[in-house]
Amino acid sequence: MGRDVANRRLRAGIVGGGKGSFIGAVHRVAVELDGQAEVVAGAMSTDPQRAEESAKAWFLDRSYASYEEMAEKEAARPDGIDFVMVATPNHMHYPVAKAFLQHGIHVVSDKPMSFSLEEAREEVALVEKSNLIFAVTHNYTGYPMVRQARDLVRSGAIGEIRKVMVEYIQDWLMDSQENSGNKQAAWRTDPTKSGIAGSVGDIGTHAENLLEFITGQKIASLSADLSTFVAGRQLDDDANMLLRLENGAKGLLTCSQIAAGEENNLNIRVYGTRAGLEWHQMEPNTLLFKQPGQPTQIYRTNAAYTSDEAKAAARTPGGHPEGFYEAFANVYKQVIADIRRVESGEKPLGGYPTVYDGLRGMLFISKVVESSQKGATWVDMNA
Amino acid sequence: MGRDVANRRLRAGIVGGGKGSFIGAVHRVAVELDGQAEVVAGAMSTDPQRAEESAKAWFLDRSYASYEEMAEKEAARPDGIDFVMVATPNHMHYPVAKAFLQHGIHVVSDKPMSFSLEEAREEVALVEKSNLIFAVTHNYTGYPMVRQARDLVRSGAIGEIRKVMVEYIQDWLMDSQENSGNKQAAWRTDPTKSGIAGSVGDIGTHAENLLEFITGQKIASLSADLSTFVAGRQLDDDANMLLRLENGAKGLLTCSQIAAGEENNLNIRVYGTRAGLEWHQMEPNTLLFKQPGQPTQIYRTNAAYTSDEAKAAARTPGGHPEGFYEAFANVYKQVIADIRRVESGEKPLGGYPTVYDGLRGMLFISKVVESSQKGATWVDMNA
Amino acid sequence: MGRDVANRRLRAGIVGGGKGSFIGAVHRVAVELDGQAEVVAGAMSTDPQRAEESAKAWFLDRSYASYEEMAEKEAARPDGIDFVMVATPNHMHYPVAKAFLQHGIHVVSDKPMSFSLEEAREEVALVEKSNLIFAVTHNYTGYPMVRQARDLVRSGAIGEIRKVMVEYIQDWLMDSQENSGNKQAAWRTDPTKSGIAGSVGDIGTHAENLLEFITGQKIASLSADLSTFVAGRQLDDDANMLLRLENGAKGLLTCSQIAAGEENNLNIRVYGTRAGLEWHQMEPNTLLFKQPGQPTQIYRTNAAYTSDEAKAAARTPGGHPEGFYEAFANVYKQVIADIRRVESGEKPLGGYPTVYDGLRGMLFISKVVESSQKGATWVDMNA
Amino acid sequence: MGRDVANRRLRAGIVGGGKGSFIGAVHRVAVELDGQAEVVAGAMSTDPQRAEESAKAWFLDRSYASYEEMAEKEAARPDGIDFVMVATPNHMHYPVAKAFLQHGIHVVSDKPMSFSLEEAREEVALVEKSNLIFAVTHNYTGYPMVRQARDLVRSGAIGEIRKVMVEYIQDWLMDSQENSGNKQAAWRTDPTKSGIAGSVGDIGTHAENLLEFITGQKIASLSADLSTFVAGRQLDDDANMLLRLENGAKGLLTCSQIAAGEENNLNIRVYGTRAGLEWHQMEPNTLLFKQPGQPTQIYRTNAAYTSDEAKAAARTPGGHPEGFYEAFANVYKQVIADIRRVESGEKPLGGYPTVYDGLRGMLFISKVVESSQKGATWVDMNA
């Protein structure tokens, strides 16, 4: 569009992510990791003092009391931010994104993309007419072995997909953390901030996105059984689902935040007519490729035999573990490259989750809740 | 009842399990492993020559052309068999068991226990009036770490169970093996021999049994989505299910014989209000005990800290792997001890899967097929 | 030589292995597992009552008060034992084996084969002139994946071997068990029963044998640092060694019975000019095949792609774990087949560890102790 | 000493690490990861054009043609660098460090710290009189689970240490990479750049450092067998060693760059009178704590039960994998905090590897080579 982005790191701003936030620091580390961007401005909390302290702790040049002010003033500066990172609770994702989009600033939004499906549809429309880069942080797509998994599917090595099993299970909400002063727990279990879903919105959408990312198949219909095991909680903390994919494959998806003893156990298995795949987020540099009648093969991050896309997502030689930050940074790596492109008049290349993936996640949430409310019966994703 | 079983190995007979059978040899090894029984007679095939050759290969004293003849003649001999092992395809399980029960001979039957639910109910009635020992080879209950898992649940260490995930996935029927001369595949995919279910009867019942064995909870209702992926096959080769247990816990169960690259991957995870459990049949001497906020503990077969029942199911010091045969032999170990007891006028102690577990498996098959036929809707296990 | 061994199980006798022994039951299970032999006679303890009770618990036909009597009487019977299993403490291995060899009875001896290197040399001479089958229970060679590993080396897939790492570490003697009534510990730490070495004789010889079995290379020289960590103990309970193999490869060997928290951790890694191998006894059905620049491959017991020898050592389909008993039984399987052969006038085929492997183990013990006594300096295995 | 370091990121410079270097990017990511420092200047190559291009790719403010010029000019600027990172081949480590130390600039040096033991001793003297922070990048000490391991030793949970096993094995030099245009391989195998050792200097020193870091024990003597397997290579590419520690413990250390199929397999096991430990760099967020007679415990990065030091080295909730970069950044985190302290007149707190660890590494190299040259005999580390 015309900013001069050559010969400098891009300038990023952040909304939310202040002191005490887990995800704020993740965004900062991830966006700066490749030395292609630096965070210079923020509206890091709705509490002015906390906003100020948070910005100071990060040595930011500019701290704002509100995201509206930030959007307006940054858009007006010649050295204003090139893009904003939205790291607020869910209900603010869309309003914040909207403000920056309307000021011509590129956006990277946390997921779920919005508070409601309606908002998500508005957001798509807004992005479509904006010509701005808009990404959603389905960060698990950034792991090299997830890229490798997708490439194995694309290459035909798996054959036609028949069965998919995806799980995202944790235990951090197995007790009533929201009543013990845990802010992370409080907003995630509050329907006025989180939306109509709890665990399904927070982590189920990652599972859904990972499944569709790797398999290249969309969920056609689902039957979901949501539970709330912790007394007094208003949103689901566990969900089990049957899936049918568009190509006729069948699937299971479960997410849970009450699975005692589980940390952050996201994993996926895909079985086709020719071979199977297995990947675990907690040991992310390993991917199992399972061919019937052949020894299972252990694919490893950045090994010589990995695909170009998998290699592009890796930074260190095999055996030097890459983790959560590096995967998250891979989303930013492609976003930053695309911002450079569009600002230089080139076409964006993509590769990161977009507003359409965000919409897909909101549709998933909506359908899962609908299915569960109807007694865990089948609902069509496209109806 | 009056046989003199002191100071000798018990005498076992086998029906089925002739040359080329996998399960025949398993029964022989398992029943003889502890030196408490020996196989002396058999009707090992409906093909007379194969029956003869099979018996000779095992150095059996007596080979019969039919199970009816065997039941009659063995019952008449003073040194006749104490019990019979039924290792035929499914449709013959009940007729064979019935013949021996009617001749006063104890029975160990393969699963699923019968061809139909009706037969299973008859079988229960027959056993109840017989005063004979009747066991079903849900052999996976025999692993020491499965016993340990049950004991951890019973002890309260897991708390109230909330979520259960059980899988039994293989790949050996991912292609049309039944048309390539594979006898094992042929009868398992033939509804006249296997019954109304394929993978659900063959392996799904093991998963169901394992779940109920470890958790002590019964499945209250289920919603099952069965698939037949291999063209021309008449029975299911894959199934995904949502479960609700009697105590309010939720569950997922899947079985598959088309999961490319999977050998014999039976595994279970149980999550309660206090802790979680994880066990994998393919590395059976390890059980993970997962307490939130504590390091996960690796329980190992025959370690000092294991429960009495787990120790009773182990034979070698920790680190000397025990496997499939040893677990299978644990079913026989308790069966043989009970036969010795009842023949000596004592009460049986149990511990192995009984005719009621067999009935439960047949009910499960029936309900799963019903659910799937109704469009993967919920059916009540007790309706 | 002329016994009629057709159409019957072979008859085995046992010396030692009475009540309380771990290895006695292992021999019984292993020798009978394939239904090709049965234990019928024993001199199971030097304590007559314990001998009697032990034999009765196994339903043996004949119990003897001494091995001398047993050798004499069994040799004289038309239905006498075909072979004897020597399951005594080390100092009795040779006297017992000698007695049976001299009566024309085949022998399977526990390791280390004898009390001293001199005895081992006598034993070789005795066996060489006897024309009897003589095997040593280096049972870890019986695992299918160990056979597979050897076949990968033989096939050239590993290339020229450069580096070998073998470990056998346990913790059961990390405290002074020998003073707490543990009979197993007592004789193993007693130089009058165990010989000149402790851990090196008990488990180090297994490591040495496994290394030479898989690599096909002999240890040319070694430098060994033996330790006795438990106060008051007379023999080594830990050993670290540098090795040089005949082909120029280098190696590390360690054995320990004071490695806190280790059960029975025998493992080996082999690296050549083309690829590497890794195997762990505690998960014995998996073998890693590591090719540089290629995904590591997971070989599994009885998979379609395994070698003929590996398949011959497996009994169940992939994914049905085979363990310690089954591996031990593979030694007996080949021994029994060879006894049938020689009794039928055929040539033995071997495949199991022989008197020469036993001699090799005794030489290893001798050289290791010599090296350590000289200050952990290099000694030549052939000097 | 008087720079004003408040309210700003520290300014770092780099020598070496230009295009094509693996370690250059590691330093940049690691030093900037916590947002406490930024790289602003560099002398990134001895090739002027490559230096320029490398600096430009990183958007550095200042690029120098030589490290001497950089040291002089940066020292003279009011906004000059606070510290330098030395990322050159080994032979330049000391000259570069010396230049910056002499200009009053703090130093973080790659390991091995110098070309020769003599240089290392000079370097210690220089640092001692300088009052500057000097760190050596034994980055593997930065992993949270390595810190946890050390804390378990310190707490007495392991008891008195008896046995240590440490390995660092790779395969990337298993062929003659140095003759195929691989610059990394070329200088590492060149005695004029690498020093008297190959694999021992490059990775063996990491193993030595890790052992001493975790156990708190020093190596007292060693017997090392070095090999050069690749034809034409001048330095060792494999080493096996026996160790004796100061407290009487025994150990094994091996490093190799010809272990086919191994990526970057650094691992350590420690066994004491009370418990054992096991850690693998390639799955760095897991630490096994092995208590005899108790279930092995799986410690995990940033879990609630981990030690304060382990927690301080972690950034994300359990289950979000932290990797190589994050561990490396932990060295910088403590270095930067100490630079802030000393510049503010406070005492440094340490926690990172220092010039004394660097000296220790050079002593280790010297003694290992001496031992091997004397025929793999014992040498005293303090003689």
Side-chain angles (χ1 to χ4, degrees):
Chain A
M1 283 138 163
R3 294 171 203 247
D4 184 1
V5 294
N7 301 318
R8 66 169 175 91
R9 294 184 179 190
L10 295 194
R11 292 181 291 267
I14 187 165
V15 178
K19 283 188 169 186
S21 154
F22 150 55
I23 206 67
V26 171
H27 279 279
R28 188 190 54 68
V29 172
V31 78
E32 296 189 342
L33 195 121
D34 287 306
Q36 294 292 325
E38 60 191 325
V39 189
V40 298
M44 296 183 69
S45 176
T46 51
D47 170 343
Q49 190 182 340
R50 204 161 143 269
E52 190 67 31
E53 286 173 8
S54 300
K56 197 171 171 188
W58 284 13
F59 307 117
L60 298 193
D61 295 330
R62 305 181 288 278
S63 174
Y64 297 94
S66 77
Y67 71 88
E68 295 93 337
E69 184 195 355
M70 177 172 159
E72 194 180 325
K73 295 200 174 161
E74 289 294 321
R77 296 178 67 102
D79 65 347
I81 59 172
D82 299 299
F83 63 99
V84 72
M85 313 184 289
V86 187
T88 65
N90 299 349
H91 66 301
M92 295 306 296
H93 286 174
Y94 177 54
V96 173
K98 187 177 173 180
F100 285 85
L101 288 171
Q102 288 177 333
H103 280 88
I105 293 172
H106 306 282
V107 174
V108 177
S109 169
D110 269 355
K111 44 50 53 193
M113 189 172 76
S114 57
F115 186 68
S116 68
L117 182 56
E118 292 66 37
E119 278 187 2
R121 289 186 169 132
E122 281 181 40
E123 202 156 1
V124 169
L126 209 57
V127 170
E128 285 183 343
K129 68 178 184 202
S130 76
N131 214 18
L132 291 163
I133 297 298
F134 185 97
V136 179
T137 54
H138 279 302
N139 52 291
Y140 296 110
T141 61
Y143 279 112
M145 287 298 98
V146 168
R147 305 275 170 105
Q148 179 68 48
R150 183 174 59 166
D151 286 334
L152 283 167
V153 172
R154 284 177 171 172
S155 74
I158 307 303
E160 183 72 13
I161 293 172
R162 289 170 161 179
K163 185 179 183 77
V164 185
M165 300 161 77
V166 57
E167 307 172 349
Y168 197 158
I169 55 180
Q170 308 175 323
D171 73 359
W172 72 290
L173 293 177
M174 68 178 284
D175 296 314
S176 184
Q177 294 294 319
E178 58 267 43
N179 299 323
S180 313
N182 182 329
K183 292 181 81 165
Q184 301 295 323
W187 76 254
R188 276 181 177 81
T189 56
D190 177 352
T192 70
K193 295 192 173 135
S194 192
I196 59 172
S199 67
V200 169
D202 195 31
I203 57 177
T205 50
H206 276 307
E208 167 267 324
N209 178 263
L210 187 67
L211 182 157
E212 297 193 345
F213 182 84
I214 289 176
T215 64
Q217 294 293 332
K218 299 237 172 294
I219 299 170
S221 59
L222 54 79
S223 171
D225 194 15
L226 270 56
S227 306
T228 304
F229 283 108
V230 174
R233 187 168 287 163
Q234 297 182 68
L235 297 173
D236 60 276
D237 48 26
D238 182 84
N240 293 330
M241 306 176 205
L242 303 179
L243 308 178
R244 292 173 182 171
L245 306 191
E246 289 189 342
N247 75 332
K250 300 291 183 77
L252 285 168
L253 186 154
T254 184
C255 61
S256 183
Q257 295 181 315
I258 57 88
E262 296 290 349
E263 292 182 319
N264 195 45
N265 189 351
L266 170 65
N267 65 77
I268 186 165
R269 288 167 285 174
V270 178
Y271 301 100
T273 49
R274 298 190 59 198
L277 283 178
E278 179 171 348
W279 180 77
H280 293 255
Q281 191 268 155
M282 285 172 57
E283 302 297 2
N285 297 299
T286 293
L287 171 70
L288 297 181
F289 177 50
K290 305 177 176 191
Q291 294 169 283
Q294 298 292 331
T296 287
Q297 296 188 339
I298 306 176
Y299 275 68
R300 294 276 307 162
T301 294
N302 224 5
Y305 49 79
T306 56
S307 68
D308 290 346
E309 286 203 50
K311 279 191 189 123
R315 292 170 184 83
T316 51
H320 298 76
E322 306 201 31
F324 183 81
Y325 280 144
E326 290 75 32
F328 214 108
N330 283 329
V331 173
Y332 275 114
K333 190 178 188 179
Q334 294 182 308
V335 166
I336 290 168
D338 257 5
I339 294 175
R340 289 194 188 279
R341 282 190 199 96
V342 297
E343 295 290 352
S344 309
E346 296 170 57
K347 289 212 162 196
L349 288 184
Y352 43 85
T354 67
V355 75
Y356 302 105
D357 296 287
L359 173 63
R360 189 85 194 148
M362 294 308 298
L363 181 65
F364 174 73
I365 291 171
S366 168
K367 294 296 180 177
V368 164
V369 171
E370 178 189 338
S371 167
S372 196
Q373 285 173 347
K374 290 181 175 169
T377 54
W378 288 89
V379 296
D380 191 328
M381 280 283 278
N382 300 311
Chain B
M1 283 144 161
R3 292 173 204 247
D4 184 1
V5 293
N7 301 318
R8 65 170 175 89
R9 294 183 179 190
L10 296 194
R11 292 181 292 266
I14 187 164
V15 178
K19 284 188 171 187
S21 153
F22 151 54
I23 207 65
V26 171
H27 280 279
R28 188 190 55 68
V29 171
V31 77
E32 296 190 342
L33 193 122
D34 287 306
Q36 294 291 324
E38 59 191 325
V39 189
V40 299
M44 296 184 70
S45 175
T46 49
D47 170 342
Q49 190 183 340
R50 205 162 141 268
E52 190 65 31
E53 285 173 9
S54 301
K56 196 171 173 189
W58 285 14
F59 307 117
L60 299 193
D61 295 331
R62 304 181 288 278
S63 174
Y64 296 95
S66 76
Y67 70 88
E68 296 94 335
E69 183 196 354
M70 177 173 159
E72 192 179 325
K73 294 200 174 160
E74 288 294 319
R77 295 178 66 103
D79 65 348
I81 59 172
D82 298 300
F83 64 100
V84 73
M85 312 184 292
V86 185
T88 64
N90 299 349
H91 67 302
M92 294 306 295
H93 286 174
Y94 177 55
V96 172
K98 186 176 175 182
F100 285 86
L101 287 171
Q102 288 177 333
H103 280 89
I105 293 172
H106 307 282
V107 173
V108 177
S109 169
D110 270 355
K111 45 49 54 190
M113 188 172 75
S114 55
F115 187 70
S116 68
L117 181 56
E118 293 65 40
E119 278 187 3
R121 289 187 169 130
E122 280 180 42
E123 201 156 3
V124 169
L126 208 57
V127 170
E128 284 182 344
K129 69 179 183 199
S130 77
N131 214 19
L132 291 163
I133 297 299
F134 185 97
V136 179
T137 55
H138 279 303
N139 52 292
Y140 297 110
T141 63
Y143 279 112
M145 287 299 97
V146 168
R147 305 275 170 104
Q148 179 68 47
R150 183 173 62 167
D151 286 334
L152 283 167
V153 172
R154 283 178 172 170
S155 74
I158 307 304
E160 183 73 12
I161 292 171
R162 287 170 162 179
K163 185 179 182 76
V164 185
M165 299 160 77
V166 58
E167 306 170 351
Y168 197 156
I169 54 181
Q170 308 175 322
D171 74 359
W172 72 290
L173 293 177
M174 69 178 284
D175 295 313
S176 184
Q177 294 294 317
E178 58 268 42
N179 299 324
S180 314
N182 182 328
K183 293 181 79 166
Q184 302 294 323
W187 75 255
R188 277 180 176 82
T189 55
D190 176 353
T192 68
K193 293 194 175 135
S194 193
I196 59 173
S199 68
V200 169
D202 195 32
I203 58 177
T205 49
H206 277 307
E208 166 267 325
N209 179 261
L210 187 67
L211 182 157
E212 297 194 344
F213 181 84
I214 288 177
T215 65
Q217 295 292 333
K218 298 236 172 295
I219 298 169
S221 59
L222 55 80
S223 171
D225 194 16
L226 270 57
S227 306
T228 303
F229 284 107
V230 173
R233 188 169 287 163
Q234 298 183 67
L235 297 173
D236 60 276
D237 48 27
D238 182 84
N240 293 330
M241 306 177 204
L242 304 178
L243 308 178
R244 293 173 180 169
L245 307 191
E246 289 190 341
N247 77 332
K250 300 291 183 76
L252 286 168
L253 187 154
T254 185
C255 61
S256 184
Q257 296 180 315
I258 58 88
E262 297 290 349
E263 291 181 320
N264 195 45
N265 189 351
L266 170 65
N267 65 79
I268 186 165
R269 287 167 286 173
V270 178
Y271 301 100
T273 50
R274 299 189 60 197
L277 283 177
E278 179 171 348
W279 179 77
H280 293 256
Q281 192 268 153
M282 284 171 57
E283 300 298 1
N285 297 299
T286 293
L287 172 70
L288 297 180
F289 176 50
K290 305 179 175 189
Q291 295 169 283
Q294 300 290 333
T296 287
Q297 297 188 339
I298 306 175
Y299 275 67
R300 292 278 306 164
T301 295
N302 223 6
Y305 50 78
T306 55
S307 68
D308 290 347
E309 286 202 52
K311 280 189 188 124
R315 292 171 183 83
T316 51
H320 298 75
E322 305 199 31
F324 183 80
Y325 280 145
E326 290 74 31
F328 213 109
N330 283 328
V331 173
Y332 275 114
K333 190 179 188 178
Q334 294 182 309
V335 166
I336 289 168
D338 257 6
I339 293 175
R340 288 194 188 279
R341 282 190 198 96
V342 298
E343 294 291 351
S344 309
E346 296 171 57
K347 288 209 163 198
L349 289 183
Y352 43 85
T354 67
V355 75
Y356 302 106
D357 296 287
L359 174 62
R360 190 84 193 149
M362 294 308 299
L363 181 63
F364 175 75
I365 291 171
S366 168
K367 294 296 180 179
V368 164
V369 171
E370 179 190 336
S371 168
S372 197
Q373 285 174 347
K374 290 180 175 169
T377 55
W378 289 88
V379 296
D380 191 329
M381 279 283 278
N382 299 309
Chain C
M1 285 138 163
R3 293 173 206 246
D4 184 0
V5 293
N7 301 317
R8 65 168 176 92
R9 294 183 179 191
L10 296 194
R11 291 180 293 265
I14 187 165
V15 178
K19 285 188 169 187
S21 153
F22 151 54
I23 207 66
V26 171
H27 280 279
R28 188 190 55 68
V29 172
V31 78
E32 296 190 344
L33 194 120
D34 287 307
Q36 294 292 324
E38 59 190 326
V39 189
V40 298
M44 296 183 70
S45 175
T46 50
D47 170 344
Q49 191 183 339
R50 203 162 143 270
E52 190 67 30
E53 285 173 7
S54 301
K56 197 171 171 187
W58 285 13
F59 308 117
L60 299 193
D61 295 330
R62 304 180 288 279
S63 174
Y64 297 94
S66 77
Y67 72 87
E68 295 94 336
E69 183 196 354
M70 178 173 158
E72 192 178 328
K73 294 200 174 160
E74 288 294 321
R77 294 177 67 101
D79 64 347
I81 59 172
D82 299 299
F83 63 101
V84 72
M85 312 184 290
V86 186
T88 65
N90 300 349
H91 67 302
M92 294 306 295
H93 286 172
Y94 177 54
V96 172
K98 186 177 176 182
F100 285 84
L101 288 171
Q102 290 176 333
H103 280 88
I105 293 172
H106 307 283
V107 173
V108 177
S109 170
D110 270 354
K111 44 48 53 192
M113 189 171 76
S114 57
F115 187 70
S116 68
L117 181 56
E118 293 65 38
E119 277 186 2
R121 288 184 169 134
E122 281 180 41
E123 202 156 1
V124 169
L126 209 56
V127 170
E128 285 183 342
K129 70 179 182 202
S130 77
N131 214 18
L132 291 162
I133 297 299
F134 185 98
V136 179
T137 55
H138 279 303
N139 51 290
Y140 297 109
T141 61
Y143 279 110
M145 287 298 96
V146 168
R147 304 276 170 103
Q148 179 69 47
R150 182 174 59 167
D151 286 334
L152 283 167
V153 172
R154 284 178 172 171
S155 73
I158 306 304
E160 183 71 12
I161 293 172
R162 288 170 162 179
K163 185 178 183 76
V164 185
M165 301 160 76
V166 57
E167 307 172 351
Y168 196 157
I169 55 181
Q170 309 175 322
D171 73 0
W172 74 288
L173 293 177
M174 69 177 283
D175 296 313
S176 184
Q177 294 295 317
E178 59 267 42
N179 299 324
S180 313
N182 182 329
K183 293 181 81 165
Q184 302 294 323
W187 77 253
R188 277 181 176 80
T189 56
D190 176 353
T192 69
K193 293 190 174 136
S194 192
I196 58 173
S199 67
V200 169
D202 195 31
I203 57 177
T205 49
H206 277 306
E208 166 267 324
N209 178 261
L210 188 66
L211 182 156
E212 297 194 345
F213 181 83
I214 288 177
T215 65
Q217 294 292 333
K218 298 236 172 296
I219 299 169
S221 59
L222 54 81
S223 171
D225 194 16
L226 270 55
S227 305
T228 304
F229 283 107
V230 174
R233 188 169 287 163
Q234 298 183 66
L235 297 174
D236 61 276
D237 48 27
D238 182 85
N240 294 330
M241 308 178 202
L242 304 178
L243 308 178
R244 293 172 181 171
L245 307 192
E246 289 189 343
N247 76 331
K250 300 291 184 79
L252 286 168
L253 186 154
T254 184
C255 60
S256 184
Q257 296 180 314
I258 57 89
E262 297 290 350
E263 292 182 320
N264 195 45
N265 188 352
L266 170 64
N267 64 77
I268 186 165
R269 286 168 285 174
V270 178
Y271 301 100
T273 49
R274 299 191 58 198
L277 282 178
E278 178 170 350
W279 179 78
H280 293 256
Q281 192 267 154
M282 285 171 58
E283 302 296 3
N285 297 298
T286 293
L287 171 70
L288 298 179
F289 177 50
K290 305 178 175 190
Q291 292 168 285
Q294 299 291 332
T296 287
Q297 297 188 337
I298 306 176
Y299 275 67
R300 295 277 306 163
T301 295
N302 223 7
Y305 49 79
T306 57
S307 68
D308 290 346
E309 287 203 50
K311 280 189 189 127
R315 293 170 184 84
T316 51
H320 298 76
E322 305 200 31
F324 183 80
Y325 280 145
E326 290 75 32
F328 213 108
N330 283 330
V331 174
Y332 274 114
K333 191 179 187 179
Q334 294 182 309
V335 166
I336 289 168
D338 257 4
I339 293 176
R340 289 193 189 279
R341 281 189 199 97
V342 297
E343 294 292 351
S344 309
E346 295 170 57
K347 288 212 162 194
L349 289 183
Y352 43 85
T354 67
V355 75
Y356 300 105
D357 296 287
L359 173 62
R360 191 84 193 150
M362 295 307 299
L363 182 64
F364 175 73
I365 291 172
S366 168
K367 294 296 180 178
V368 165
V369 171
E370 179 189 337
S371 167
S372 195
Q373 285 173 348
K374 289 180 175 170
T377 54
W378 289 89
V379 296
D380 191 328
M381 279 284 277
N382 300 309
Chain D
M1 283 141 166
R3 294 172 203 245
D4 184 1
V5 292
N7 300 319
R8 65 169 176 90
R9 295 183 178 190
L10 295 193
R11 293 181 290 267
I14 187 164
V15 178
K19 284 187 170 188
S21 154
F22 152 55
I23 207 65
V26 171
H27 279 280
R28 189 190 54 67
V29 172
V31 77
E32 297 189 343
L33 193 121
D34 288 306
Q36 294 292 323
E38 58 191 327
V39 189
V40 298
M44 295 183 70
S45 176
T46 49
D47 171 343
Q49 190 183 339
R50 204 162 142 269
E52 191 66 30
E53 285 173 7
S54 301
K56 196 171 173 188
W58 285 13
F59 308 116
L60 298 193
D61 295 331
R62 305 181 287 278
S63 175
Y64 297 94
S66 77
Y67 71 89
E68 296 94 335
E69 182 195 355
M70 177 172 159
E72 192 179 326
K73 294 201 172 157
E74 289 294 320
R77 295 177 67 101
D79 65 348
I81 59 171
D82 299 299
F83 64 98
V84 73
M85 312 183 290
V86 187
T88 64
N90 299 349
H91 66 301
M92 294 307 295
H93 286 174
Y94 177 55
V96 173
K98 186 177 175 182
F100 285 85
L101 287 171
Q102 288 176 334
H103 280 88
I105 293 172
H106 307 283
V107 173
V108 177
S109 169
D110 269 354
K111 43 53 48 191
M113 189 171 76
S114 56
F115 186 70
S116 67
L117 181 56
E118 293 64 40
E119 278 187 1
R121 288 186 169 133
E122 280 180 41
E123 201 156 3
V124 168
L126 208 58
V127 170
E128 284 182 343
K129 69 179 182 200
S130 75
N131 214 20
L132 291 162
I133 297 298
F134 186 96
V136 179
T137 54
H138 279 302
N139 52 292
Y140 297 109
T141 62
Y143 278 111
M145 287 299 96
V146 168
R147 304 274 169 104
Q148 179 68 47
R150 183 173 61 166
D151 286 334
L152 282 167
V153 172
R154 284 178 172 171
S155 74
I158 306 304
E160 183 71 14
I161 292 172
R162 288 170 162 178
K163 185 177 184 77
V164 185
M165 298 159 78
V166 58
E167 306 172 352
Y168 197 157
I169 55 181
Q170 309 175 322
D171 72 1
W172 72 290
L173 293 177
M174 69 178 283
D175 295 314
S176 184
Q177 294 294 318
E178 59 268 42
N179 298 325
S180 314
N182 182 329
K183 291 181 81 165
Q184 302 294 323
W187 75 253
R188 277 179 176 81
T189 55
D190 176 354
T192 69
K193 293 191 174 137
S194 191
I196 59 173
S199 68
V200 169
D202 194 31
I203 57 176
T205 50
H206 277 306
E208 167 267 324
N209 179 262
L210 187 68
L211 182 157
E212 297 194 345
F213 181 84
I214 289 177
T215 65
Q217 295 293 332
K218 298 234 173 299
I219 299 169
S221 59
L222 55 79
S223 171
D225 194 16
L226 270 57
S227 306
T228 304
F229 283 107
V230 174
R233 187 169 286 164
Q234 297 183 67
L235 298 173
D236 59 276
D237 48 27
D238 182 85
N240 294 329
M241 305 177 204
L242 304 179
L243 308 177
R244 292 172 181 171
L245 307 191
E246 288 189 342
N247 76 333
K250 299 292 184 77
L252 286 168
L253 187 154
T254 185
C255 60
S256 183
Q257 296 180 313
I258 57 87
E262 297 289 350
E263 291 181 320
N264 195 44
N265 189 351
L266 170 64
N267 65 78
I268 186 166
R269 286 167 287 174
V270 178
Y271 301 99
T273 49
R274 299 189 59 198
L277 284 177
E278 179 170 349
W279 180 77
H280 293 256
Q281 192 269 152
M282 284 171 58
E283 300 297 2
N285 297 298
T286 292
L287 171 70
L288 297 180
F289 176 50
K290 306 179 175 189
Q291 295 169 283
Q294 299 291 332
T296 287
Q297 297 188 338
I298 306 175
Y299 276 66
R300 293 277 307 163
T301 294
N302 224 6
Y305 49 78
T306 56
S307 69
D308 290 347
E309 287 203 51
K311 280 190 189 122
R315 292 169 184 85
T316 52
H320 299 75
E322 305 200 31
F324 183 80
Y325 280 146
E326 289 75 32
F328 213 107
N330 283 328
V331 173
Y332 274 114
K333 190 179 188 180
Q334 294 182 310
V335 166
I336 290 168
D338 257 6
I339 293 175
R340 290 194 187 279
R341 281 189 199 97
V342 298
E343 294 292 352
S344 310
E346 295 170 59
K347 289 212 161 191
L349 288 183
Y352 43 85
T354 67
V355 74
Y356 301 105
D357 296 287
L359 174 62
R360 190 84 194 149
M362 293 309 298
L363 182 64
F364 175 74
I365 290 171
S366 167
K367 294 296 181 179
V368 165
V369 171
E370 179 189 337
S371 168
S372 197
Q373 285 173 347
K374 289 181 175 170
T377 55
W378 288 89
V379 297
D380 191 329
M381 279 284 277
N382 300 309

